[in-house]
Amino acid sequence: MEVDYKRQGGMTSVLMLRAQDFLDSLHHVRGTTIAEDASQLRIDNAPRAMATWRNLAIGVLRMAGVTNIAAGLRRNARDPRRPLALLGLG
């Protein structure tokens, strides 16, 4: 759905542009750091489910204050207790 930013009022336009920037940033991280485009999942809801898990991982790392997502993913991959601790489960 295309959004006509010119027809929106002042603050609404700003919020829409910030949301778009956030989504572009998320897609960039998923595309470069996680190599989502190289995924071989193509059947049923598997791509959507994996995108949800990727978004969760990125969001949790950002909420924890991690600025380098790739380094955060590597750090958490080394110890299975770390991701659980970030989620408050460990």
Side-chain angles (χ1 to χ4, degrees):
M1 179 172 101
E2 286 294 318
V3 178
D4 185 5
Y5 293 110
K6 293 177 183 176
R7 296 186 68 199
Q8 302 298 324
M11 187 55 94
T12 304
S13 294
V14 171
L15 293 175
M16 290 177 137
L17 289 172
R18 289 185 69 195
Q20 184 64 41
D21 286 344
F22 172 77
L23 289 175
D24 289 343
S25 169
L26 180 63
H27 285 287
H28 175 74
V29 170
R30 284 182 12 200
T32 57
T33 303
I34 303 177
E36 186 176 56
D37 293 339
S39 175
Q40 295 183 7
L41 296 172
R42 305 271 190 263
I43 299 172
D44 296 328
N45 289 326
R48 183 174 291 167
M50 287 306 297
T52 300
W53 287 113
R54 290 177 188 117
N55 289 341
L56 174 66
I58 294 167
V60 167
L61 288 172
R62 284 186 175 162
M63 286 177 53
V66 174
T67 55
N68 186 331
I69 300 298
L73 289 170
R74 286 190 301 271
R75 182 173 188 273
N76 282 289
R78 287 191 292 266
D79 183 1
R81 292 179 298 243
R82 284 188 185 135
L84 294 175
L86 284 175
L87 291 169
L89 300 173

